[in-house]
Amino acid sequence: MTSVVKCPTCGNDVVWGETSPHRPFCCKRCQLIDLGEWADEDKRIPSNDDLSESDDWSE
């Protein structure tokens, strides 16, 4: 049985399988749009331990 999911960017149906190389996205364009939103920090994983600008960073 093949699963079908919604593309998180545009909402189109995506077959979850080898025929959809960009899954869960419907295409490379939607994949890159999502990546850009993460890079611009429009999307983020919530955390109680958020660092402020004045916190020290270590490498």
Side-chain angles (χ1 to χ4, degrees):
M1 184 171 158
T2 304
S3 295
V4 176
V5 297
K6 295 285 185 187
C7 174
T9 303
C10 69
N12 286 335
D13 289 338
V14 179
V15 175
W16 193 270
E18 294 299 317
T19 59
S20 303
H22 304 292
R23 62 187 179 274
F25 304 98
C26 64
C27 62
K28 186 71 171 178
R29 179 181 177 273
C30 283
Q31 188 180 41
L32 291 173
I33 289 170
D34 185 76
L35 178 62
E37 290 172 348
W38 283 99
D40 288 341
E41 297 183 0
D42 293 337
K43 291 185 178 179
R44 57 184 281 180
I45 298 172
S47 170
N48 293 332
D49 298 329
D50 287 336
L51 297 174
S52 71
E53 293 296 322
S54 64
D55 291 337
D56 291 331
W57 288 86
S58 63
E59 293 186 22

